[in-house]
Amino acid sequence: MQVGIEAIGMYTSNYYIDLKTLAVHRNEDPNKYYVGIGQEKMAAPPPDEDIVTLAANAAREALTDVDSYAIDTLLFATESGIDQSKAAGTWLHRLLDLPKNMRVIELKQACYSGAGGLMLTLPYLMQHPERKILLVAADVARYGLDSAGEPTQGAGAVALVLSAQPRLLAFDSTSGLYTEDVFDFWRPNYRDEAFVDGKYSVKIYLRALASAWNQYCHLTGRSYHDFDRFVYHLPFSKMGEKAHAFLVKHAGFGDLPEEEWKDKIQDAAVYQRIIGNTYAASVFMALVSLLECSTVDLTGRRVGLFSYGSGCVGEFFSGVVLPGYQQYLKVEAHRRLIEERQELDYAAYSDFYTYKSNLPTDGTPVVTPKYRTGGFRFAGIKEHKRLYEVVD
């Protein structure tokens, strides 16, 4: 029996800032971002957009031709939590009019939580092949204005319908794991923005990759050449090159020509370069990018995926692309979404950013201004309750 992705949806903000605009504001060379970290643009969510609205738009797309009454579980992976108790998925459940007889859970382990949730669903679906699971990963990456991490912000969501009737990709059941208690990226409850030790985080990322890869290869007997493509968690697109160069050498193929090993990762970084960091959704956004941007028919090809979440947990897992997968992609819709985004100048971007930071915490009612947010919007706050509405 195969279990995997039956349907997939993706969404990002209708607004962005070009990193050359950020470079001018910071009196820096744009190539520091364009070339140095491989980033060109980053999504900038307006005041009435957050993880719930991003996720709702992605999930609605994923559910377009799926029997939602077969879904009995909604997993919402995020590190941009909006409530300490109430799961963000409960708002999503109402906005999408999902069945009442289902469980809804929010998952957290930095950027890894989506992949962790995915791997937990596989044995459940093997035991209950008549059921489906909706897994949504959504985040708004925030490091602070004028901070070192600011150029690696972004926002977006990916929704996967997982089932025993996969149409796009079937996952292998075995993976490699790594966990270590470290502080490379963390956000205390009293903070709106994360702390990050960038160089240390890259070091731990690579350590987790090596260990998870070693366990995966030991358990499966597979090696580097069993994979046609690799998909990495991408806080910035150059991280994929750094990780894959490291893996190629670690796997004993350091003499491979650069163009040969880069060919295995480039299509997965296309969306990252123009959307930015999406934290828990990052590895899935990279997978969507690979499937939609590759000019090669990937049918029957095995893809290796590595998810890393600071703090830290890493997992290397894999899947095989299924025949006919192209007909279930939303390539044209995603092209329009990205191309029709509105570019912001620095002042507008800064206003968007600081609006969230300045939301009252004393119960004062808030009515958010209206912007383009797809089919759903964050309408405001009343009596300490966040309010959402369907707009189309």
Side-chain angles (χ1 to χ4, degrees), residues 7 9 14 41 58 66 85 132 244 323:
N14 286 278
K41 302 169 183 175
V66 171
S85 298
K132 304 179 192 294
H244 198 57

Side-chain angles (χ1 to χ4, degrees), residues 170-336:
F171 289 105
D172 299 313
S173 59
T174 303
S175 63
L177 296 160
Y178 183 80
T179 289
E180 183 177 354
D181 179 12
V182 295
F183 277 90
D184 57 334
F185 175 104
W186 68 105
R187 182 167 68 87
N189 286 341
Y190 50 83
R191 292 269 303 185
D192 183 44
E193 296 146 350
F195 293 106
V196 61
D197 185 339
K199 291 183 179 179
Y200 182 55
S201 190
V202 170
K203 178 181 177 181
I204 300 299
Y205 181 119
L206 298 179
R207 182 190 299 170
L209 172 60
S211 186
W213 168 261
N214 289 346
Q215 187 187 31
Y216 177 92
C217 292
H218 172 72
L219 294 174
T220 64
R222 298 190 184 105
S223 62
Y224 179 80
H225 288 299
D226 288 314
F227 297 90
D228 286 285
R229 294 291 186 277
F230 289 83
V231 170
Y232 290 92
H233 163 60
L234 297 173
F236 49 92
S237 71
K238 272 294 177 69
M239 188 64 230
E241 292 185 21
K242 191 183 292 286
H244 198 57
F246 171 84
L247 183 68
V248 168
K249 186 176 181 180
H250 178 77
F253 298 97
D255 57 347
L256 281 178
E258 182 174 305
E259 61 270 22
E260 183 175 330
W261 63 256
K262 278 190 173 180
D263 185 57
K264 292 182 179 293
I265 60 171
Q266 289 178 333
D267 291 329
V270 174
Y271 287 171
Q272 164 66 30
R273 278 197 292 274
I274 52 179
I275 291 175
N277 196 352
T278 54
Y279 287 168
S282 173
V283 70
F284 301 131
M285 190 71 78
L287 177 61
V288 176
S289 180
L290 168 64
L291 297 176
E292 295 190 347
C293 298
S294 175
T295 57
V296 175
D297 183 357
L298 298 172
T299 300
R301 304 196 183 202
R302 175 164 276 107
V303 178
L305 303 100
F306 178 67
S307 177
Y308 174 77
S310 295
C312 72
V313 179
E315 184 160 4
F316 189 93
F317 56 108
S318 58
V320 177
V321 181
L322 297 173
Y325 71 96
Q326 299 96 332
Q327 64 183 298
Y328 302 109
L329 298 173
K330 312 291 192 308
V331 179
E332 182 59 25
H334 296 161
R335 184 193 64 77
R336 287 198 307 272

Side-chain angles (χ1 to χ4, degrees), residues 15-49:
Y15 303 88
Y16 74 93
I17 181 170
D18 195 302
L19 291 191
K20 69 185 178 196
T21 303
L22 192 65
V24 170
H25 169 76
R26 298 165 68 126
N27 196 28
E28 293 175 328
D29 182 349
N31 284 329
K32 179 178 180 180
Y33 308 132
Y34 284 11
V35 178
I37 60 173
Q39 290 299 128
E40 299 172 13
K41 302 169 183 175
M42 61 184 187
D48 55 343
E49 186 166 65

